[in-house]
Amino acid sequence: MLIDGTAIAQEIQAEIKSEVNRLTGRRPCLAVVRVGEDPASKIYVSRKIKACEEAGIISRSEHHPNTITEHQLLGIVHKLNQDHTVDGILVQLPLPDSIDAIKITQAIDPAKDVDGFHPINVGKMLMGSTDGYLPCTPLGIKTLLERYSIPVSGKHVVILGRSNIVGKPLAAILMQNQPGCNATVTVAHSKTERLREVCLNADILIVAIGKPQFLKADMVKEGAVVIDVGINRLPSKALVGDVDFEHVQPKCSYITPVPGGVGPMTIAMLLSNTLKSYRQTQNSPQRYRGTEK
Ligand code: GUN
């Protein structure tokens, strides 16, 4: 069965829109900062802004040239941290080599870090705290599994890829003693031995390694759930995931397509995190946000 990420993302965005429409005070606001001319970033950011607009969330987007200095970008982040009308701050990655992305990520107020990349939020995630922000792609995958009522508890989840954005946080999330989690998680990567055997042991296989059509049918157990996080452009210009979809699909109980699987969920979760940040300010207006005095 095909997991329709576009439909679930639309469903969630409609839920967010209806909550935003019921608000009486100011609207939630997401600030998006893009630096340089990375073509993929340009597309991703425009999709995020469009989704905000459709849901009634204000988006404030800035684009800066490659020549912006780290100091200047830190200044922009500090200003957004102090702006009480901004609920979420997203600095699109990758940044130019001249800028230390870790430094920028750490400068964002953890209370506005709707990407969930700040060490405070990474720590909260690892400890199972629910008042931080989970990174959007892993949260989108967890949500897809939930909305399709795919059992995760006690299942063997194999994650291919150990990135800070997907593999590592997803492992941390799905292993928690929490509803929708309680998985037995294996993280495999480029140095993993007997990778095929590891994959064949998976009840749920999540592939995030950035190699087009890497996961082949002989690596998948009959009836497994396969989640494809990859987005790759072939020389033929065709868009494919990290899974050899045509041959893997017949073996799966559930599989996500590319496009239309995980991608739209990432954006829906960004809106959801922005609304979560907004709600936290409404519940305690006097609360100091993170680094502010
Ligand atoms: N670049 C690729 N994915 C992401 C993401 O989820 N957030 C940000 N800020 N940059 C990215």
Side-chain angles (χ1 to χ4, degrees), residues 150-173:
I150 294 170
V152 173
S153 179
K155 299 299 179 189
H156 186 200
V157 174
V158 172
I159 301 168
L160 297 197
R162 54 177 160 183
S163 71
N164 287 335
I165 294 185
V166 184
K168 280 190 224 170
L170 190 56
I173 292 167

Short mmCIF file of all heavy atoms in Angstrom, two decimals, residues 150-173:
data_model
loop_
_atom_site.label_atom_id
_atom_site.label_comp_id
_atom_site.label_asym_id
_atom_site.label_seq_id
_atom_site.Cartn_x
_atom_site.Cartn_y
_atom_site.Cartn_z
N ILE A 150 0.41 2.26 11.60
CA ILE A 150 1.44 1.22 11.42
C ILE A 150 2.10 0.99 12.78
O ILE A 150 2.63 1.92 13.39
CB ILE A 150 2.49 1.67 10.37
CG1 ILE A 150 1.82 1.78 8.99
CG2 ILE A 150 3.67 0.72 10.34
CD1 ILE A 150 2.66 2.43 7.92
N PRO A 151 2.03 -0.26 13.30
CA PRO A 151 2.59 -0.51 14.62
C PRO A 151 4.11 -0.30 14.63
O PRO A 151 4.80 -0.75 13.71
CB PRO A 151 2.25 -1.98 14.89
CG PRO A 151 1.29 -2.39 13.84
CD PRO A 151 1.47 -1.47 12.68
N VAL A 152 4.60 0.41 15.64
CA VAL A 152 6.04 0.67 15.78
C VAL A 152 6.57 -0.01 17.04
O VAL A 152 7.69 -0.52 17.07
CB VAL A 152 6.30 2.20 15.82
CG1 VAL A 152 7.76 2.50 16.13
CG2 VAL A 152 5.91 2.85 14.49
N SER A 153 5.72 -0.04 18.09
CA SER A 153 6.16 -0.57 19.39
C SER A 153 6.64 -2.01 19.24
O SER A 153 5.94 -2.86 18.70
CB SER A 153 4.99 -0.49 20.37
OG SER A 153 5.39 -1.01 21.61
N GLY A 154 7.86 -2.24 19.71
CA GLY A 154 8.43 -3.59 19.68
C GLY A 154 8.98 -4.02 18.34
O GLY A 154 9.57 -5.09 18.22
N LYS A 155 8.78 -3.21 17.32
CA LYS A 155 9.23 -3.58 15.97
C LYS A 155 10.71 -3.24 15.78
O LYS A 155 11.25 -2.35 16.44
CB LYS A 155 8.40 -2.84 14.90
CG LYS A 155 6.92 -3.16 14.94
CD LYS A 155 6.65 -4.62 14.71
CE LYS A 155 5.17 -4.93 14.78
NZ LYS A 155 4.90 -6.37 14.77
N HIS A 156 11.32 -3.95 14.86
CA HIS A 156 12.72 -3.65 14.53
C HIS A 156 12.76 -2.62 13.41
O HIS A 156 12.38 -2.92 12.27
CB HIS A 156 13.46 -4.94 14.12
CG HIS A 156 14.92 -4.73 13.91
ND1 HIS A 156 15.71 -5.57 13.17
CD2 HIS A 156 15.76 -3.74 14.34
CE1 HIS A 156 16.96 -5.11 13.17
NE2 HIS A 156 17.00 -4.01 13.87
N VAL A 157 13.18 -1.42 13.77
CA VAL A 157 13.32 -0.34 12.79
C VAL A 157 14.79 -0.25 12.38
O VAL A 157 15.66 -0.10 13.25
CB VAL A 157 12.86 1.02 13.38
CG1 VAL A 157 13.15 2.16 12.39
CG2 VAL A 157 11.38 0.99 13.71
N VAL A 158 15.07 -0.35 11.11
CA VAL A 158 16.44 -0.16 10.62
C VAL A 158 16.48 1.16 9.85
O VAL A 158 15.69 1.37 8.92
CB VAL A 158 16.90 -1.33 9.73
CG1 VAL A 158 18.26 -1.00 9.08
CG2 VAL A 158 17.00 -2.61 10.56
N ILE A 159 17.37 2.05 10.29
CA ILE A 159 17.54 3.35 9.64
C ILE A 159 18.85 3.32 8.86
O ILE A 159 19.90 3.03 9.43
CB ILE A 159 17.57 4.48 10.69
CG1 ILE A 159 16.27 4.49 11.50
CG2 ILE A 159 17.80 5.84 10.02
CD1 ILE A 159 16.31 5.38 12.74
N LEU A 160 18.79 3.57 7.57
CA LEU A 160 20.01 3.67 6.76
C LEU A 160 20.39 5.14 6.69
O LEU A 160 19.66 5.92 6.07
CB LEU A 160 19.81 3.13 5.35
CG LEU A 160 19.48 1.66 5.15
CD1 LEU A 160 19.73 1.25 3.70
CD2 LEU A 160 20.32 0.80 6.06
N GLY A 161 21.50 5.50 7.33
CA GLY A 161 21.93 6.90 7.32
C GLY A 161 21.98 7.44 8.74
O GLY A 161 21.09 7.15 9.55
N ARG A 162 23.03 8.21 9.04
CA ARG A 162 23.23 8.72 10.40
C ARG A 162 23.43 10.23 10.41
O ARG A 162 24.25 10.76 11.15
CB ARG A 162 24.42 8.02 11.04
CG ARG A 162 25.68 8.12 10.20
CD ARG A 162 26.88 7.50 10.87
NE ARG A 162 27.90 7.21 9.88
CZ ARG A 162 29.04 6.61 10.15
NH1 ARG A 162 29.31 6.21 11.36
NH2 ARG A 162 29.92 6.37 9.20
N SER A 163 22.69 10.94 9.57
CA SER A 163 22.84 12.39 9.52
C SER A 163 22.25 13.03 10.78
O SER A 163 21.42 12.44 11.47
CB SER A 163 22.13 12.96 8.29
OG SER A 163 20.73 12.86 8.47
N ASN A 164 22.70 14.26 11.04
CA ASN A 164 22.16 15.01 12.19
C ASN A 164 20.72 15.43 11.95
O ASN A 164 19.98 15.70 12.89
CB ASN A 164 23.01 16.26 12.44
CG ASN A 164 24.34 15.90 13.07
OD1 ASN A 164 24.48 14.87 13.72
ND2 ASN A 164 25.33 16.74 12.84
N ILE A 165 20.32 15.52 10.68
CA ILE A 165 18.97 16.01 10.35
C ILE A 165 17.95 14.88 10.34
O ILE A 165 16.79 15.07 10.71
CB ILE A 165 18.98 16.77 8.99
CG1 ILE A 165 19.82 18.05 9.10
CG2 ILE A 165 17.58 17.11 8.53
CD1 ILE A 165 19.81 18.93 7.86
N VAL A 166 18.36 13.67 9.92
CA VAL A 166 17.39 12.57 9.81
C VAL A 166 17.77 11.34 10.66
O VAL A 166 17.09 11.02 11.63
CB VAL A 166 17.17 12.14 8.34
CG1 VAL A 166 16.07 11.07 8.26
CG2 VAL A 166 16.79 13.32 7.46
N GLY A 167 18.84 10.67 10.31
CA GLY A 167 19.14 9.36 10.91
C GLY A 167 19.27 9.38 12.43
O GLY A 167 18.57 8.65 13.13
N LYS A 168 20.16 10.25 12.92
CA LYS A 168 20.40 10.28 14.37
C LYS A 168 19.14 10.68 15.15
O LYS A 168 18.77 9.99 16.11
CB LYS A 168 21.55 11.23 14.70
CG LYS A 168 22.92 10.61 14.46
CD LYS A 168 23.99 11.55 15.04
CE LYS A 168 25.15 11.70 14.11
NZ LYS A 168 26.08 12.76 14.53
N PRO A 169 18.47 11.81 14.78
CA PRO A 169 17.28 12.16 15.57
C PRO A 169 16.15 11.13 15.45
O PRO A 169 15.45 10.87 16.43
CB PRO A 169 16.86 13.52 15.00
CG PRO A 169 17.60 13.71 13.73
CD PRO A 169 18.82 12.86 13.81
N LEU A 170 16.00 10.53 14.29
CA LEU A 170 14.92 9.55 14.12
C LEU A 170 15.14 8.36 15.06
O LEU A 170 14.19 7.85 15.68
CB LEU A 170 14.88 9.10 12.66
CG LEU A 170 13.69 8.28 12.23
CD1 LEU A 170 12.38 9.00 12.52
CD2 LEU A 170 13.78 7.96 10.74
N ALA A 171 16.39 7.93 15.16
CA ALA A 171 16.71 6.82 16.08
C ALA A 171 16.35 7.22 17.51
O ALA A 171 15.72 6.45 18.25
CB ALA A 171 18.19 6.46 15.97
N ALA A 172 16.73 8.45 17.88
CA ALA A 172 16.46 8.93 19.24
C ALA A 172 14.96 8.98 19.53
O ALA A 172 14.51 8.67 20.63
CB ALA A 172 17.08 10.31 19.44
N ILE A 173 14.19 9.38 18.52
CA ILE A 173 12.73 9.53 18.71
C ILE A 173 12.06 8.15 18.80
O ILE A 173 11.29 7.89 19.73
CB ILE A 173 12.12 10.35 17.54
CG1 ILE A 173 12.60 11.80 17.60
CG2 ILE A 173 10.59 10.29 17.58
CD1 ILE A 173 12.32 12.60 16.33
#
